[in-house]
Amino acid sequence: MSGGSRCCFSLLTLLAEVLLFGSVALVVAWCLKYRGGFAWTEDPNLQFNLHPVLMVSGFIFFAGHAMLTYRQWRCCNHSTIKLVHTLYHIMAIPCIAVGLIAVFDFHNNKKPTPIPNLYSLHSWMGLVTVGLYGLQFIVGFFSFLFLLCCDTATASFRAALVPVHSSFGITTFFLAVATCLTGLTEKVLFTIRDTYQSLGEEPIVVNVFAMCLVLVAIVMSVLLLLDRFRQNTERPHPRQQAARGLSPSQ
């Protein structure tokens, strides 16, 4: 990268980290200070608070860092970057699983009347997000880790799969951000609807948290989609270069 691009990349990466950590910090602070904290099945209302915290941790924080590994870990070889990328996704999976259990338990154990499951736009978007994420993980795991055992034989197949895997990964991340925003809106309407217009402390925290998610999506899109921020390990496979009439050195 040129000096200007390197400076821009460093600032955007720093901003992305601030927003990713800030999003987790804000949702934890919101649940602790304004929503009563956390519990398990002994208190369904407090158990629900695990849902936003764990979903933001899994889909936004860990998944976001998983994608950023291909931008940040420039000093490592491609295999190491893939391993770190996979480890971040592995850390996201238990967060997502427990977060789903928490919200289903909250709905089913709600007193005096249980709440129906999977009726809202937020829940439908959540199902699509979870499904895409699971499919992405399975495809990525078997294509880029298991198939490394026969690297030469599968090189061209994996090279062709890279842009598809990358595009669906970015799409899933943006969908996760949109799902978080619809869930946040739904929670506000159910809990602080009457006081939201007064713009007190809790509404401000909620709005700032939502804006952090929006900014994360914007910054991540710039970092991930601009070619100038790609590193050498993301260059096309030699066979792809040959198909474009380029020599491997190009």
Side-chain angles (χ1 to χ4, degrees):
M1 287 189 291
S2 65
S5 294
R6 189 176 294 108
C7 180
C8 183
F9 171 78
S10 299
L11 289 174
L12 287 172
T13 302
L14 177 61
L15 181 57
E17 290 292 348
V18 169
L19 291 170
L20 287 170
F21 278 95
S23 296
V24 175
L26 282 169
V27 70
V28 171
W30 175 47
C31 291
L32 285 175
K33 185 172 182 180
Y34 301 104
R35 298 289 98 209
F38 307 101
W40 197 235
T41 52
E42 65 273 10
D43 189 332
N45 288 323
L46 297 185
Q47 184 183 16
F48 174 83
N49 292 339
L50 293 170
H51 177 69
V53 170
L54 292 174
M55 288 308 193
V56 169
S57 298
F59 279 121
I60 307 300
F61 185 81
F62 287 124
H65 276 98
M67 291 190 293
L68 285 178
T69 54
Y70 286 97
R71 297 292 181 269
Q72 294 176 323
W73 292 65
R74 295 175 178 270
C75 61
C76 302
N77 61 47
H78 200 38
S79 297
T80 301
I81 295 173
K82 286 181 180 181
L83 178 61
V84 175
H85 177 78
T86 304
L87 288 176
Y88 272 122
H89 282 305
I90 289 173
M91 288 188 284
I93 290 173
C95 293
I96 295 169
V98 177
L100 287 173
I101 293 171
V103 72
F104 278 109
D105 280 352
F106 166 71
H107 282 187
N108 295 332
N109 299 328
K110 181 69 174 177
K111 304 296 183 181
T113 306
I115 300 174
N117 292 306
L118 305 177
Y119 70 91
S120 66
L121 173 64
H122 169 66
S123 62
W124 286 27
M125 291 177 66
L127 281 178
V128 175
T129 305
V130 171
L132 282 177
Y133 191 87
L135 182 62
Q136 276 285 99
F137 183 82
I138 293 171
V139 170
F141 182 82
F142 283 103
S143 298
F144 298 108
L145 293 181
F146 177 74
L147 292 180
L148 283 178
C149 298
C150 44
D151 184 40
T152 304
T154 61
S156 89
F157 167 75
R158 288 184 289 109
L161 194 60
V162 165
V164 177
H165 182 68
S166 176
S167 298
F168 272 97
I170 296 172
T171 301
T172 303
F173 183 80
F174 291 160
L175 184 58
V177 171
T179 304
C180 287
L181 293 174
T182 58
L184 195 59
T185 302
E186 187 177 294
K187 185 64 176 177
V188 164
L189 292 176
F190 286 158
T191 56
I192 57 172
R193 179 172 166 179
D194 297 333
T195 60
Y196 186 64
Q197 292 181 348
S198 65
L199 208 62
E201 281 190 13
E202 185 175 2
I204 289 176
V205 171
V206 170
N207 286 353
V208 171
F209 170 47
M211 290 310 301
C212 273
L213 295 176
V214 172
L215 290 173
V216 162
I218 294 172
V219 174
M220 291 286 287
S221 66
V222 174
L223 283 171
L224 297 172
L225 297 177
L226 283 186
D227 286 339
R228 71 178 65 177
F229 295 147
R230 293 179 182 272
Q231 57 181 325
N232 291 338
T233 54
E234 295 175 271
R235 287 178 180 170
H237 187 266
R239 293 187 183 179
Q240 290 180 310
Q241 291 180 319
R244 298 175 189 173
L246 301 174
S247 67
S249 60
Q250 291 176 288

